[in-house]
Amino acid sequence: MEWYAIDTWIVIVGMLAAISCALLGNFLVLRKMSMMGDAISHAVLPGLAIAFLVTGVRASLTMFIGAAVVGVLTAVFTQWVSRFGKVDEGASMGIVFTTLFALGLLLIVQAADHVDLDAGCVLYGAIELTPLDVVWRPEFFGTVLDVPRAAIVLLIVCVVNALFVVLFFKELRISSFDAELATTMGFNANIMHYLLMTLVAVTTVAAFEAVGSIIVIAMLIVPAATAHLLTDRLGTMVILSVFIAVFTAALGHVAALCLPGWLGFDPSIVETTSTSGMMAVVAGLVFVAVLFFAPRYGIVTKRLRRLEDVSDLAVSREEADA
Amino acid sequence: MNAEPNLRDLKQTPLVVRDLTVAYHRKPVVWDVGLSIPEGKLVSVVGPNGAGKSTLLKACLDLIPRSSGEVLIYGEPYAKARKRVGYVPQRESVDWDFPVSALDVVAMGTYGQLGWFRRVNKRSKALAMQALDRVGLADYAHRQISQLSGGQQQRTFLARALVQDADIYFMDEPFAAVDAATERAIVELLKELQSRGKTCLVVHHDLATVPQYFDWTVFLNMRVVASGPTAEVFTPENLHKTYGGKLSLLTEAAEKIAKAR
């Protein structure tokens, strides 16, 4: 395995995306709306298309805004459909995001077929290419750093999300646990819901543009779900999810570099496999490991504890008999 | 139904409901309800399933939109009086696997006083600990809440309401599916709240215990059938009007009333 400056940037970008998603993911998982990230990352397509049609350029800021607005609308429509359409939140999410995604596809095919606005490219943004888009080249002690745009954008998103979770920790806790009580106390659960959804939309758009939607969807759910198996405290869960996100991003890229070699591919032909894909796979594997071996809730650990209990019981019986 | 208190008395009246109508999908659930609850009463709200009891509570707490009418808490609309109001939702309304301890849940009762951004402090935790002690759960403070029994979970909710330190409490079926020890603990707590001049509005299902636990009763079946001191309104006629033709239930209840007297 050879490691270049580019690899360092890929890992940094991956970590920032993973942390941004994991922070918010805790509250999506606890509110039982984990698939919101998936819905939003698909539903933003018409936003991208309309922003492009209106301005005529692929300027990233307008398209970012277009996508983020449609992302928030996805959350709004989902709530309307489930309230007025007599369907549960999951079905309502499915109705809204498939409709919007299809609308986006139609818009792109109809009006923008001749330009390079490829749905596949939007959904599977390539983390390996992010270090090529350098926007800032500061010099530190004689070494020039090529800071990619994605790193700066995701750092900002990451800081905003971290501030949100820290400043509104109490409000997030009560509105996620007991929305009605929160509302009666003046912490309007609807406002908290839309604040969270706005950040999820912005994070999703910012992250999938850089690293692809598979990481975004995985990192919104898997680190939080894994952390939930490891702790009974919300604060610990948030911190653990961040560590899992960091670990997963790093290990994912290393695995992407090494895996083709291990599988016996000729390194001169197949150098690496997809980093985004590998990060999501590592996240899944970490979850499975925790699912089995978590100290309290692991499947194996529980089984072992039961065996111990049984043998303790047997011992105490024998002692009683003797 | 009840005589409306005059303007000066309104400020001393914990709850006044006027012409309240609430509809879901254009179907009325609560219809033209008028109520006036005097201070310091333990009030049971009874009625058959789907009679709009929970809806009435939620409409009083501004949790669901009203089609018409108004609700006054000590003479003021809810938004201005929220710090004087405590709420105990139905136990099934929350996810008990949520990563919080009993102490965390009870400390939530102080969030309203803390307001936005202020963090949970030592004082909140001390108050929460005291309240847990009062409902007999001090030893369970650091348990994750799914590791509590149903009755203990209900007592955790009541401890949280205590910490809210309100003047009027709205409780949605606190007696549902609890063990005898918890039922006694809740009754004791209600009596204590009453002795401190607090008012409690409790959605209740067990008609047999109404005369024993509550000194005021509201019969609700979409409309208010009767509201007044339990001794006066807890009659077979009102039960019949509220519950309709469910005769077996009625005879059973009537027997219990006879026994209670």
Side-chain angles (χ1 to χ4, degrees), chain A residues 30 32 83-84 86 166-171 173-174 176-178 180-181 183-188 192 228 231-234 237 296-297, chain B residues 25 58 61 63 78 82 87 89 94-95 97-101 104-105 108-109 111-112 114-120 144-145 147 160 164:
Chain A
L30 290 175
K32 309 205 184 306
R83 184 180 304 162
F84 299 112
K86 290 187 175 177
V166 170
L167 285 177
F168 290 96
F169 188 71
K170 161 173 125 272
E171 289 78 4
R173 170 152 65 191
I174 190 170
S176 303
F177 175 64
D178 193 339
E180 286 184 343
L181 182 77
T183 305
T184 66
M185 285 179 165
F187 307 109
N188 191 316
M192 290 311 295
H228 194 186
T231 177
D232 283 334
R233 308 280 310 185
L234 182 59
M237 177 174 161
R296 182 175 275 168
Y297 299 114
Chain B
H25 295 289
K58 287 179 186 175
L61 295 161
L63 284 172
Y78 181 80
R82 68 168 90 252
Y87 178 41
V94 304
D95 171 16
D97 285 325
F98 202 87
V100 284
S101 64
D104 290 331
V105 172
M108 284 178 192
Y111 288 11
L114 287 170
W116 290 87
F117 302 116
R118 294 235 330 258
R119 307 199 69 95
V120 182
Q144 197 273 332
I145 50 176
Q147 292 156 27
R160 181 174 73 179
Q164 278 191 276

Side-chain angles (χ1 to χ4, degrees), chain A:
Chain A
M1 183 181 77
E2 282 174 272
W3 192 269
Y4 303 98
I6 279 186
D7 293 307
T8 309
W9 281 119
I10 290 175
V11 169
I12 289 174
V13 168
M15 281 179 181
L16 288 171
I19 297 169
S20 309
C21 292
L23 281 168
L24 304 180
N26 286 291
F27 300 98
L28 292 183
V29 167
L30 290 175
R31 286 161 178 249
K32 309 205 184 306
M33 44 197 323
S34 311
M35 292 316 281
M36 206 64 200
D38 190 11
I40 286 178
S41 64
H42 284 82
V44 295
L45 199 58
L48 294 170
I50 291 170
F52 173 75
L53 288 174
V54 170
T55 60
V57 280
R58 275 179 59 203
S60 53
L61 187 66
T62 45
M63 292 185 57
F64 181 85
I65 293 169
V69 168
V70 179
V72 175
L73 283 179
T74 310
V76 176
F77 292 154
T78 299
Q79 212 168 44
W80 283 358
V81 171
S82 70
R83 184 180 304 162
F84 299 112
K86 290 187 175 177
V87 290
D88 68 86
E89 194 119 292
S92 144
M93 224 180 266
I95 294 168
V96 171
F97 97 79
T98 48
T99 309
L100 285 172
F101 183 65
L103 183 71
L105 283 178
L106 288 175
L107 281 173
I108 286 180
V109 171
Q110 279 296 305
D113 208 16
H114 54 286
V115 290
D116 178 26
L117 192 65
D118 174 22
C121 185
V122 172
L123 284 179
Y124 310 112
I127 189 170
E128 290 86 351
L129 302 179
T130 49
L132 303 179
D133 187 5
V134 175
V135 286
W136 191 39
R137 311 191 62 174
E139 204 181 309
F140 285 108
F141 309 109
T143 30
V144 179
L145 289 178
D146 297 325
V147 183
R149 195 171 56 86
I152 294 175
V153 171
L154 287 172
L155 180 66
I156 294 170
V157 172
C158 197
V159 169
V160 170
N161 288 357
L163 281 176
F164 173 69
V165 170
V166 170
L167 285 177
F168 290 96
F169 188 71
K170 161 173 125 272
E171 289 78 4
L172 281 166
R173 170 152 65 191
I174 190 170
S175 64
S176 303
F177 175 64
D178 193 339
E180 286 184 343
L181 182 77
T183 305
T184 66
M185 285 179 165
F187 307 109
N188 191 316
N190 258 325
I191 292 176
M192 290 311 295
H193 173 78
Y194 284 115
L195 262 177
L196 180 65
M197 285 306 123
T198 306
L199 285 179
V200 170
V202 169
T203 305
T204 306
V205 175
F208 82 52
E209 187 206 20
V211 301
S213 71
I214 188 71
I215 304 190
V216 175
I217 299 166
M219 290 303 159
L220 277 171
I221 305 172
V222 185
T226 312
H228 194 186
L229 284 170
L230 291 169
T231 177
D232 283 334
R233 308 280 310 185
L234 182 59
T236 318
M237 177 174 161
V238 172
I239 292 165
L240 276 176
S241 73
V242 168
F243 278 113
I244 294 167
V246 167
F247 172 76
T248 306
L251 197 66
H253 186 58
V254 172
L257 292 181
C258 296
L259 194 69
W262 292 339
L263 294 180
F265 287 99
D266 182 354
S268 59
I269 302 166
V270 187
E271 279 186 52
T272 64
T273 180
S274 152
T275 293
S276 312
M278 215 55 221
M279 286 181 184
V281 169
V282 169
L285 292 177
V286 170
F287 177 81
V288 171
V290 169
L291 183 64
F292 280 99
F293 301 108
R296 182 175 275 168
Y297 299 114
I299 295 173
V300 174
T301 352
K302 268 191 200 161
R303 190 62 51 86
L304 284 177
R305 205 163 42 221
R306 209 169 305 149
L307 285 179
E308 262 169 40
D309 288 349
V310 171
S311 63
D312 283 354
L313 206 67
V315 169
S316 54
R317 269 207 199 122
E318 275 166 27
E319 280 167 1
D321 288 344

